[in-house]
Amino acid sequence: MEKKSRIRLTINGKELELEAEPNRSLLEVLRDDLGLTGTKQGCDREECGTCTVLLEGVSALSCNLAVGMVVGRKVETIEGLGQGGGLHPLQKAFVEKGAVQCGFCTPGIILETEALLRRDPAPTSEKITERLFPHLCRCTGYAKILEAIEYGARLRRGEPAVVTASHQGYVGRPRSALDAEDKVTGRAKFAADLYMPDMAYAKILRSPHAHAIIRNIDTSEAERIPGVRGFVTGRNLRAVRLGVKPLLRPGRGTFQPVIAIDRVRYKGEPVAAVAADTREIAEQALAAVKVDYEVLESVIGVEAALKPDAPRIFPEGNVEQTQTITRGDIAKGFAEADVVVENWYYTPFQEHGYIEPEAGLAYVDTDGRLFLQACTQFPYQCQQSLAQLLGLKAEEVRVVATPVGGGFGGKYVEHAWILAALLAYEVRSPVKVVYTREESILSSTKRHAALMRFKTGASRNGRLVALEAELFMDVGAYFDPLVTRYTAVAAQGPYEIPNVLVKAAQVATNVQKSGAFRGLGGIQIAFAQEQQLELIAQQLQMDPWEIRYLNALRPGSVTATGHHLEEGVGISATLKAVRPYYEQALQVARAENGSRETASTWKRGVGLACGWRAYGGQSTDPTEATVELLPDGTLEVRSGLVELGVGSTTALAQMAADLMGVRLEDVHLIGGDTARAPFPYTTSGEKAVMMIGGAVCRALEELRAALTSVSAQALGCRPEEITFKGGNALQAGRKLPLDRLAALCREVGVPLKYQGAARWSGYRPLDPDTGQGVFCDLYAMRTQVAEVDVNTTTGEVKVLRVVDASDTGTVVNPILLEGQIHGSIVQGLGYALTEEFVPGQTATLREYGLPTVLEMPEMVVLFVGDKVPSTPFGAKGAGETAIVPTPAAIANAIAHATRARLRRLPAKPDRVLAALRES
Amino acid sequence: MGFELLQPRSLAEALEMKKSYGEEAKVLAGGTDFLVLLKDQKLKAEVVMSLRGIRELNFIRHEEGKGVTLGALATHGAVAASAIIRQRFPDLAEACAQVGAVQVQNLGTVGGNLCNASPAADAAPPLLLMDASLILASARGERRISIHDFFQGPRRTVLQADEILKEIFIPQIPGRRGATYLKLGRRKAMEIAIVGIGVAIHLNGSDQVVSDCRIALGSVAPTPLRARHGEEILRNQEIRDELIEEAAEVAAEEASPISDVRASREYRLDMIRVLCRRAIPAALASARGNKVEGLS
Ligand SMILES: Cc1cc2nc3c(=O)[nH]c(=O)nc-3n(C[C@H](O)[C@H](O)[C@H](O)COP(=O)(O)OP(=O)(O)OC[C@H]3O[C@@H](n4cnc5c(N)ncnc54)[C@H](O)[C@@H]3O)c2cc1C
Ligand code: FES
Ligand code: FES
């Protein structure tokens, strides 16, 4: 380690002199030494752009600059923009245009744009994309970012802002996200941005083997290294001493230990975790740990795991049949079919690719309570896990969710922060953990890879009569059957099929665990089922749109699980909505292919796909929320909602503001804190808004009733005459401000705090053998059209446009929902074309292949469908499931262009070319 | 990442430092590969010597009748923007303009690209086409070697422990030269080439007969290489589609690609053929469009 030297720098206009080792990265010095945490670390290897700063006015990646090399130079960070009052025009534009979702990529992108605009105040859109493409954003699909940049450039040139007229009410109106300002300024504190005095750093030693027995772990030498504070291993775990099974996610039917005990089952599995004074010491300590492994044969990939002689990961075998659904008579169905199509399909592991790596900070507070702050989507479950692992009461553990820098289902109860918390409890000092990007990719959960056999039969007129599907879901190294239920339920697609036999099995393999991911189970199914439909249509010489419309579920339809559908069955409406786009695209494709020389290697194609996914609870447990009218007339709403960057909190606030007739600014949301807000059934995204929104609405109705009666008394009128608007109770031109009303209530002893609960009422667990039951109350449904160009000599595919129509019910916030849909479509596009996590090979973002702005297609977003009677405001939400049909639509478009059928994702050029040769 | 940082101000100072530290001091130019190599432990460095402060290495110099010299600190961005390079060595300009993103081009050097010795280095195929030579300097003196002798394998070059790459020299090329560099990545950008191909066509007098044809391949063997047998097929010939086809086939036979996460071996072989079919006519057209003889 090099000695410190005095380093002089100008940062955000201030001259500074600091003591630092000149070889440390500028990024680390900015964050650790100067507290400028608006500059983010997404990869630390020049692949994401989040660490961008301005160096002498030019954009530079601070992860790749030794601080010694920038001595005497001028550095600007996000904290330096818009200094001296108000937001910088770009910051303002990002907020207004809904370009900020999780916000982790935002500071880097704003600085990059600022560097560009200083030299070229009115850049062309090509210039903008050229600068933007090294910046990865996993949330927005880039469309709103581009819009914001163009708008921001105009503002920056002094052109007037576009003022939108003020509206009555909030629901149904575009509103920028409530937390967007904090994110564009770099003020928002993500988990990695938290520091404490005397804080230790945690690092995790991971198995280099995919499958091995741990004979011994020796930390004795490592423990003697000065600066090492303590270790957690499978041997010294408190839970083990307490006689508790130390599972990572207890109570979910999984076997996954929080840290390997006597065996490792995937490469990257945690074996030991250390807390030390610095990251370097922590790493030295890990290097000094001796682990004695007995390497076992491993099995990777579903195909391999299914072989009878495959090495066993669990004594009971690698395959467990967990969900069957039967309806009608499958043999009779196929006997009646005029066409039968049967194929195998494969979809790979997908990395969530959130730009914020896993991070958390834990300590034991003065009351002896364990306090964890982490970027978790589900603080309540973390609390439960920790309480169980440490033998504590739930109240003795407090978990607070920090802003989540992209979750998509991948940040629940994760090793990173659970181990940091266990270490903090063990060593009794604050412990911080931040994953490196490589660690995150290696060890985080992935979308389940799936191997699927589909046999589909239809009658001559195009009616689907039978479906037999065998689904093998790669759950990774530990069983968890949830996904098999989702996929089994989804298998029929949003179509009526009288005779169905679906068998879903979970398959264990020696790779990281699979887990929740947007569109769980639905996306794999759509890839298979939507291509099956296309093949049937081809054989029957039917129009792909017609066959879908003919078979689409309708109100009154019964699903394969016996669920009688009544509300929220908008699949036909979404088909109708895309129809004009579809026809036009077909015309354009014909014209294009006709006008291109026959020798042209590019062919245009158009593909259609529908998608659906179970939506709503798999439990009838209630979700609770409380509301309180505060003395100043503002509203406090406490719920379990965690802001994942998808605008859920904004939507919730909009609903609450409308119900109580107050300004959005006057709704204070408290959530994501196990000590301050009630337990939610789930906080995963929009579905949570439905339920938590329901609970909030109930509570508000009670509050309203109470306020109505008190104000009616005060104003001497009948309760029916009272309305709430503009922060007042109103009656025939007379008004009573809410702060006065609050005081009145206190005088007469009427409570101001109310609790509400909501539940998905319809849930009836599926019978594991017949699949009969009600898996969820609602299904998200949508249709997409994709237009692609395929190069027939290189196999390259360009997606030009995606049109998405979703059955959304009432749209609470169009701008945020649209942004989410964009993001989901581009995630689906990545899964279709480039993204594939190959165990043992994929190590970095660049190797993995997240879509950049250059892959972004034009996107058209259409909202259709009726209000859903049973949800708050009739909203259904449909942002996250936009990912479901995208790969299928693209695959169908490729086939339309070239006749090449892809049965395996992603459609990498070599696979497309191979499929072309087969066709 | 603990290392000591040396920041020499002149070439002489740098060479002295390299002399005393030898293998121990690793050279850093733009640093776009360097720090990542350190992180991945593909490179171990106790001492890092940054060349960035050495102004005398940052130049692109054209000497009429002799050739063009690139200093070790000439970046991809500077090379891609240089008028002389764009005019006379469009293949090199095209290659540099396709390295990573603008941000990487503004930092990364052509010299670093070569010294890094990745099979996929985009600047290598064009420089192979040009028979460029490299000036390697040490406190002992300088030596000039052909680029054809520089690469020894992935990440391996003939650079000695006390040497640094000082300059890249591109000699004058007689006749009318047309050239292009085509790169196939999995995504449109930010992507290391799956296959990179440079083709140069030289015309001498006639527009029909090719006096020389050169083909260089990247990402399809342990080092970037010239497809000499493929070249033979076209040399001193009148170009016809069948010959292009044959040259493409033969060039593919000269490669020995591997399968990896990004593409299979078969696909890479296919793409050599596809890109040759595209690049040869493009280079020919560019040579024909080049009306002035004996440039450079
Ligand atoms: C995001 C990203 C995208 C990229 N995309 C591409 C791409 O598309 N195509 C491509 O070809 N490359 C790509 N690269 C790799 C890299 O940018 C280039 O190889 C670059 O040209 C390296 O130059 P540098 O000056 O940054 O070298 P450095 O990183 O400073 O050094 C690279 C190596 O060369 C040695 N070295 C450098 N200069 C000298 C010298 N004068 N004498 C002796 N040894 C020396 C160093 O010791 C080191 O081993 C990419 C990199 C990143 C980060
Ligand atoms: S590019 Fe620097 S942290 Fe990702
Ligand atoms: S908003 Fe861009 S990564 Fe989340």
Side-chain angles (χ1 to χ4, degrees), chain A residues 311-583:
Chain A
R312 292 193 159 207
I313 302 176
F314 295 103
E316 53 272 45
N318 303 330
V319 186
E320 189 191 357
Q321 176 69 43
T322 44
Q323 185 66 60
T324 301
I325 299 178
T326 61
R327 185 158 191 86
D329 180 340
I330 193 71
K332 191 167 137 270
F334 280 115
E336 282 169 15
D338 297 308
V339 279
V340 175
V341 172
E342 183 173 355
N343 284 299
W344 284 93
Y345 296 90
Y346 176 82
T347 55
F349 289 116
Q350 185 178 24
E351 157 69 22
H352 292 87
Y354 29 73
I355 308 300
E356 175 203 36
E358 293 79 351
L361 172 64
Y363 62 93
V364 179
D365 69 16
T366 42
D367 300 334
R369 191 165 60 160
L370 180 61
F371 184 26
L372 168 68
Q373 291 161 281
C375 56
T376 172
Q377 293 177 240
F378 210 166
Y380 302 85
Q381 216 177 33
C382 294
Q383 177 197 30
Q384 286 186 334
S385 296
L386 283 170
Q388 198 162 26
L389 287 165
L390 293 167
L392 301 174
K393 292 204 273 301
E395 313 84 80
E396 293 173 303
V397 180
R398 177 179 175 197
V399 181
V400 174
T402 55
V404 178
F408 319 119
K411 289 177 176 165
Y412 281 83
V413 185
E414 306 306 327
H415 281 117
W417 43 87
I418 296 297
L419 289 176
L422 295 182
L423 278 168
Y425 197 80
E426 183 82 20
V427 306
R428 298 276 150 171
S429 60
V431 174
K432 174 169 169 174
V433 67
V434 182
Y435 272 6
T436 64
R437 174 57 60 183
E438 294 84 339
E439 243 181 326
S440 176
I441 291 180
L442 176 67
S443 68
S444 67
T445 60
K446 306 283 181 280
R447 180 188 301 291
H448 301 78
L451 182 67
M452 303 169 280
R453 183 178 64 85
F454 268 70
K455 182 176 169 191
T456 317
S459 62
R460 200 164 297 119
N461 61 9
R463 280 255 172 223
L464 296 173
V465 291
L467 167 72
E468 189 181 285
E470 249 187 303
L471 312 169
F472 298 98
M473 308 304 294
D474 194 335
V475 293
Y478 296 94
F479 282 127
D480 182 353
L482 184 63
V483 68
T484 58
R485 298 204 184 105
Y486 271 99
T487 27
V489 168
Q492 70 184 103
Y495 307 108
E496 275 189 346
I497 310 180
N499 306 294
V500 174
L501 172 61
V502 180
K503 287 183 170 176
Q506 52 173 342
V507 181
T509 62
N510 288 114
V511 301
Q512 82 304 315
K513 233 189 83 56
S514 305
F517 197 150
R518 277 186 169 173
L520 176 72
I523 188 167
Q524 295 95 333
I525 291 298
F527 179 67
Q529 174 72 327
E530 292 295 313
Q531 296 206 72
Q532 289 286 98
L533 234 69
E534 206 83 358
L535 291 167
I536 289 175
Q538 240 168 44
Q539 289 207 12
L540 294 172
Q541 297 190 330
M542 247 181 116
D543 178 73
W545 189 93
E546 290 294 342
I547 194 167
R548 289 180 168 83
Y549 192 73
L550 178 70
N551 289 291
L553 290 168
R554 293 179 162 74
S557 297
V558 181
T559 71
T561 72
H563 187 177
H564 291 257
L565 300 178
E566 278 145 33
E567 55 172 34
V569 198
I571 189 67
S572 327
T574 65
L575 271 161
K576 278 197 207 141
V578 303
R579 177 143 199 183
Y581 293 88
Y582 178 59
E583 311 243 292

Side-chain angles (χ1 to χ4, degrees), chain A residues 100-106 136-140 355:
Chain A
V100 183
Q101 288 191 27
C102 83
F104 202 78
C105 67
T106 311
L136 296 176
C137 173
R138 187 58 156 171
C139 304
T140 64
I355 308 300

Side-chain angles (χ1 to χ4, degrees), chain A residues 27 40-52 61-64 134 845:
Chain A
L27 175 61
K40 304 293 178 202
Q41 179 171 343
C43 69
D44 213 27
R45 53 183 303 133
E46 305 166 73
E47 293 181 354
C48 75
T50 58
C51 65
T52 299
L61 298 175
S62 61
C63 68
N64 181 38
L845 282 177

Side-chain angles (χ1 to χ4, degrees), chain A residues 1 24 41 60 82-83 156 299 374 388 403 439 466 506 510 536 558 664 669 692 776 780:
Chain A
M1 188 90 229
R24 283 172 60 209
Q41 179 171 343
Q83 267 180 343
R156 204 175 165 284
V299 50
Q388 198 162 26
E439 243 181 326
Q506 52 173 342
N510 288 114
I536 289 175
V558 181
L664 200 56
L669 292 177
I692 294 173
C776 60

